[in-house]
Amino acid sequence: MMGPAHSLSGAAAWLGVGAAVAATGHPMPWPVLVVGTLICAGAALAPDLDHKSATISRSFGPISRILCEIIDKLSYAVYKATRTKADPRRSGGHRTLTHTALWALLIGAGASVLAVTGGRWAVLGILFVHLVLAVEGLLWRAARTSSDVLVWLLGATGAWILAGELDRPGNGAGWLLTGDGQQYLWLGLPIVLGALVHDIGDALTVSGCPILWPLPIARKRWYPLGPPKSLRFRAGSRVETKILMPAFLLLGGAGGLAALNLV
């Protein structure tokens, strides 16, 4: 799928989690719902850091472009080192390592550890990166006609304000995991969810997605999971733009209302 659809699906996924949690009688504090939605929307773009034309690869100027090249080479190296004879030969690392559930879990766990051990500035950094990506994905038309600096300023301002709200008593810094030193440990959850939603979205397209690597399936380590080929679609097709994106909007809206106990 393309960037806007990925971001919308990520936002809808976290809002759905908020609705499910509210149904148990323990709704999320509103800052957790908002921050989680934005992080998940941004994280749903992150697996494409292995592709030089992806939104995330252009979002942070030379830094993200260089990181993209590194991740692409790393992914390709891992693919070559672990492929079986049944896996096809490739010329790059797109839709390999960063498009797996294992990668999603590692990135989410790393973010949680960073948030807990790195203090406020680490939290601000995590929020900044994902808010910039959320703006690029959810407001892509406006973002592409604006300067990168303006988008970065919006991300930085949003990160500062939302971190301040989370730090208020009862607003969610210690949501879900309430022990001493566990504040912000939950920040990894929307990152994992966003990456997994991205992978599932890509699995619906023609190429499929090797979500379960390194588990062997049909003699392949990099088996491209997906529905029957007759049910798949091409990225950017009308199925994505005219059916899936409106569906994500509706599902996200319904989930948000339910998460806030408004329906």
Side-chain angles (χ1 to χ4, degrees):
M1 291 197 300
M2 305 299 285
H6 279 310
S7 280
L8 279 173
S9 66
W14 188 258
L15 290 168
V17 170
V21 171
T24 68
H26 302 282
M28 294 178 181
W30 72 263
V32 173
L33 184 66
V34 172
V35 169
T37 298
L38 293 172
I39 289 178
C40 203
L45 296 177
D48 277 343
L49 189 56
D50 59 4
H51 194 295
K52 64 181 181 180
S53 298
T55 300
I56 185 173
S57 301
R58 296 180 280 102
S59 295
F60 299 96
I63 294 176
S64 54
R65 286 195 292 272
I66 293 171
L67 187 57
C68 169
E69 292 181 9
I70 294 172
I71 295 297
D72 179 44
K73 287 181 171 59
L74 171 64
S75 298
Y76 183 48
V78 172
Y79 181 85
K80 287 198 301 181
T82 61
R83 66 180 287 268
T84 68
K85 292 182 179 179
D87 288 305
R89 293 185 179 277
R90 302 177 60 98
S91 59
H94 182 48
R95 283 203 185 186
T96 56
L97 180 61
T98 62
H99 287 68
T100 64
L102 180 59
W103 177 271
L105 292 172
L106 290 175
I107 293 300
S112 289
V113 171
L114 180 62
V116 171
T117 60
R120 179 174 176 81
W121 287 106
V123 171
L124 286 170
I126 293 170
L127 290 177
F128 168 71
V129 168
H130 289 89
L131 261 62
V132 168
L133 292 177
V135 171
E136 293 279 4
L138 297 175
L139 304 175
W140 64 278
R141 291 185 186 275
R144 289 187 181 181
T145 58
S146 302
S147 69
D148 287 342
V149 174
L150 183 60
V151 175
W152 299 340
L153 286 174
L154 181 60
T157 302
W160 188 270
I161 293 172
L162 290 171
E165 289 296 330
L166 286 170
D167 282 338
R168 296 178 185 274
N171 268 13
W175 175 72
L176 191 62
L177 301 165
T178 58
D180 290 339
Q182 294 182 345
Q183 288 81 8
Y184 291 111
L185 194 59
W186 61 269
L187 281 183
L189 295 177
I191 293 174
V192 173
L193 181 59
L196 291 177
V197 168
H198 177 110
D199 296 344
I200 293 170
D202 277 354
L204 299 176
T205 64
V206 173
S207 300
C209 190
I211 301 173
L212 296 182
W213 175 86
L215 297 179
I217 302 174
R219 298 184 298 112
K220 294 181 178 181
R221 290 284 183 188
W222 298 91
Y223 185 85
L225 288 177
K229 290 188 176 181
S230 60
L231 298 179
R232 301 186 189 188
F233 58 89
R234 292 190 178 278
S237 67
R238 291 177 63 85
V239 172
E240 179 179 330
T241 59
K242 302 299 183 182
I243 297 176
L244 291 181
M245 289 179 66
F248 295 148
L249 279 171
L250 290 173
L251 290 172
L257 292 174
L260 295 172
N261 287 321
L262 297 178
V263 293

